[in-house]
Amino acid sequence: MKKLWGGRFTKSAEQWVDEFGASISFDQELVEEDIQGSLAHVTMLGKCGILLEDEVETIKQGLHVLLEKAKKQELAYTAAYEDIHLNLEKMLIDEIGPVGGKLHTGRSRNDQVATDMHLYLRKHVQEIITLINELQDAIIKQAEVNVETIVPGYTHLQRAQPISFAHHLLAYYWMLERDKERFTESLKRINISPLGAGALAGTTFPIDRHYTAGLLGFEGIYENSIDAVSDRDFIVEFLSNSSMTMMHLSRLCEELILWSSQEFGFVEIDDRFATGSSIMPQKKNPDMAELIRGKTGRVYGNLFGLLTVLKGTPLAYNKDMQEDKEGMFDTAQTLTGSLKIFSGMINTLTVNSEAMSKATKQDFSNATELADYLASKGLPFRDAHEIVGKLVLQCIEKGIFLLDLPLEDYQEASHLFGEDIYKVLDPYNAINRRNIAGGTGFSEIKKVLVNIKNKNK
Ligand code: ARG
């Protein structure tokens, strides 16, 4: 088959070599972006007097026919035409005749493919921002009904201090808020146009890059044509931002998996997001949470893959860069899917507040309260710590908890202890007394909830 670039060749590659070099099996994902870019380009060629108006009209009509076919998945791609750009150009020529060959005037596949990727990421990043927002809404909803749900807070996965379950959930709200900020900020670098940079050096045709940028909704153009076609930072940044979000989701996955185990019994994942075992009839596995935790690995892989592809590639375009696509598509799809699943999982999560609260009564997570109590009566905190540590040991030896220890034992340890320690030791009071900014105190959480609900609208 004659190549669109075949002029200077005397031999043709064997089919399997063509297939190895082709990207059409995956870059067909960019079909709509590619046509969108071509429509803007050809409109500009007309406006700048580079093509005649009727040529422009014919090309546009042809492109619209291809767009309709693409939407109906009626285009038949072939590896013989390597990639989405050449496949479409060939189809256009077949559709409207040799005038189709004028579309590529003043353009190269190098600026064309970069344009497609910018358009693709703009669309997906906007969707991701919306999905993060929806997940935050789900978190807020769960937090609202769980302000007074008391649960042990952990450090080192050892019970540390009692906290409100809402406070714990809201930590994820804030992680996602930073993620959203990062994605939003990245749009500044995604939403600029490489179109018109040509292969690397611009073009002799009197094109108008600002005009095509405007037609495509870009906020500006790359100021350097070499940078325009060599830059893949915006994709690396996307993969990095996505890795961070996946890492956040993965941490929550781990918690959901732990909490839904029989050992914890803190939450139940809805049947719609769990699966059974083919052999053990009693099983209900938190598959979706595990899978998202697992998929985090491949998103990191995509980030490292692209960084490694780019390392050491000289300016400007190199074929290596064709390897930038699959990881990007895969990441967009993985992150989008994970966020959707997560919203569903959080919205339908059953919280076992009784089990949570029971746990706080069967541990020593109220020990800090006692140390603070002594310190507030003037004892140096370090000494208070020592005394309470000994009391904890005493309880462990007796097989009881701090609330069960008689007052005499407390007073023997320190005369500063009074009857009121039992109130102080109560996990509810322990939380209620932490109304400092950013703390787990109930009224503080309620205040935060009002603010973030307004913010997330
Ligand atoms: N399929 C190519 C890619 O994705 C398009 C750009 C090709 N440019 C070239 N000079 N061979 O990278």
Side-chain angles (χ1 to χ4, degrees):
M1 205 175 300
K2 191 179 174 313
K3 299 283 190 268
L4 293 177
W5 40 252
R8 64 100 64 218
F9 286 73
T10 53
K11 289 181 218 149
S12 36
E14 286 181 50
Q15 193 187 334
W16 65 272
V17 178
D18 272 353
E19 278 166 10
F20 185 83
S23 53
I24 189 62
S25 63
F26 49 88
D27 68 10
Q28 51 184 273
E29 179 86 25
L30 295 170
V31 61
E32 291 190 24
E33 283 78 9
D34 200 71
I35 296 176
Q36 202 187 345
S38 289
L39 282 167
H41 180 67
V42 75
T43 306
M44 179 279 294
L45 291 176
K47 186 211 89 146
C48 295
I50 301 166
L51 293 192
L52 299 172
E53 271 317 318
D54 62 331
E55 293 172 328
V56 171
E57 271 323 299
T58 313
I59 293 175
K60 276 187 170 175
Q61 273 168 20
L63 287 171
H64 281 294
V65 172
L66 296 185
L67 186 59
E68 283 320 302
K69 286 193 185 165
K71 285 184 177 155
K72 292 190 210 138
Q73 312 212 321
E74 282 173 1
L75 296 178
Y77 303 111
T78 160
Y81 289 108
E82 202 176 320
D83 57 25
I84 186 63
H85 324 292
L86 296 178
N87 267 271
L88 284 173
E89 189 173 324
K90 174 73 173 71
M91 289 173 193
L92 183 69
I93 295 169
D94 289 348
E95 184 73 33
I96 61 170
V99 65
K102 293 200 172 192
L103 169 63
H104 212 53
T105 313
R107 180 176 85 167
S108 154
R109 272 188 294 158
N110 296 351
D111 56 342
Q112 191 180 349
V113 71
T115 304
D116 293 1
M117 310 266 272
H118 279 272
L119 291 171
Y120 175 90
L121 272 190
R122 181 176 69 193
K123 183 170 81 187
H124 283 85
V125 166
Q126 281 163 346
E127 189 191 355
I128 286 166
I129 292 170
T130 308
L131 291 173
I132 293 180
N133 220 65
E134 281 171 21
L135 176 53
Q136 286 179 308
D137 282 341
I139 290 175
I140 291 174
K141 267 210 297 201
Q142 278 290 359
E144 277 184 315
V145 293
N146 282 296
V147 173
E148 302 214 349
T149 303
I150 299 172
V151 69
Y154 294 80
T155 63
H156 312 267
L157 201 56
Q158 303 287 326
R159 293 195 188 166
Q161 291 174 341
I163 54 171
S164 148
F165 185 54
H167 197 50
H168 191 106
L169 286 175
L170 288 179
Y172 286 99
Y173 166 90
W174 291 106
M175 292 179 220
L176 291 166
E177 186 63 13
R178 291 192 294 275
D179 292 335
K180 208 164 67 180
E181 266 169 37
R182 265 184 290 270
F183 279 115
T184 307
E185 153 83 11
S186 76
L187 279 172
K188 230 173 38 193
R189 286 170 289 277
I190 291 171
N191 205 19
I192 51 170
S193 176
L195 193 57
L200 78 162
T203 172
T204 53
F205 290 98
I207 60 165
D208 184 344
R209 293 190 57 204
H210 291 283
Y211 184 71
T212 43
L215 288 178
L216 292 169
F218 286 125
E219 266 167 35
I221 63 167
Y222 275 88
E223 297 290 341
N224 179 303
S225 61
I226 302 174
D227 184 37
V229 290
S230 312
D231 178 32
R232 295 293 183 270
D233 299 0
F234 66 105
I235 306 177
V236 173
E237 191 178 352
F238 168 71
L239 298 175
S240 157
N241 291 342
S242 301
S243 296
M244 187 89 83
T245 304
M246 288 300 292
M247 178 269 284
H248 290 153
L249 296 184
S250 182
R251 297 181 79 172
L252 185 50
C253 287
E254 174 63 16
E255 300 206 300
L256 290 174
I257 294 163
L258 279 176
W259 293 337
S260 61
S261 70
Q262 232 168 311
E263 284 69 15
F264 276 79
F266 285 179
V267 299
E268 185 174 346
I269 292 175
D270 194 81
D271 280 5
R272 281 166 285 184
F273 300 100
T275 57
S277 153
S278 61
I279 168 170
M280 298 161 283
Q282 84 285 7
K283 292 285 297 271
K284 177 169 169 186
N285 298 325
D287 269 33
M288 291 302 138
E290 293 168 68
L291 193 56
I292 292 171
R293 187 177 59 181
K295 281 182 187 288
T296 304
R298 71 195 265 169
V299 172
Y300 291 2
N302 292 336
L303 169 64
F304 274 82
L306 183 58
L307 281 171
T308 314
V309 164
L310 292 173
K311 171 183 175 299
T313 49
L315 303 183
Y317 177 83
N318 305 271
K319 183 78 167 180
D320 314 41
M321 287 152 98
Q322 183 165 287
E323 287 294 306
D324 59 2
K325 286 172 202 59
E326 286 158 290
M328 177 182 80
F329 298 147
D330 181 67
T331 299
Q333 203 190 342
T334 304
L335 181 55
T336 304
S338 302
L339 286 166
K340 283 185 187 160
I341 296 267
F342 241 102
S343 289
M345 222 161 35
I346 297 297
N347 270 321
T348 57
L349 190 72
T350 307
V351 176
N352 188 347
S353 53
E354 245 167 69
M356 288 184 177
S357 148
K358 197 166 146 211
T360 64
K361 301 215 166 88
Q362 289 168 357
D363 67 11
F364 292 96
S365 62
N366 51 0
T368 314
E369 305 316 303
L370 270 193
D372 283 354
Y373 176 95
L374 291 178
S376 68
K377 299 220 160 167
L379 200 66
F381 183 79
R382 202 39 66 213
D383 299 338
H385 188 289
E386 174 75 17
I387 291 172
V388 178
K390 291 213 166 94
L391 287 168
V392 168
L393 191 61
Q394 212 174 310
C395 288
I396 292 172
E397 279 161 6
K398 289 189 176 153
I400 57 172
F401 296 103
L402 287 168
L403 272 165
D404 310 320
L405 197 70
L407 189 59
E408 305 84 72
D409 290 357
Y410 278 112
Q411 287 175 335
E412 202 169 300
S414 165
H415 66 281
L416 294 173
F417 282 125
E419 186 79 59
D420 55 346
I421 52 166
Y422 295 101
K423 273 210 185 83
V424 168
L425 279 171
D426 183 85
Y428 183 92
N429 295 333
I431 296 174
N432 208 17
R433 292 169 61 232
R434 282 181 162 70
N435 277 314
I436 55 124
T440 188
F442 302 122
S443 54
E444 181 61 21
I445 297 173
K446 285 180 191 149
K447 215 161 61 191
V448 169
L449 274 170
V450 172
N451 287 343
I452 60 181
K453 257 178 91 176
N454 283 328
K455 207 164 129 171
N456 229 48
K457 267 179 193 150

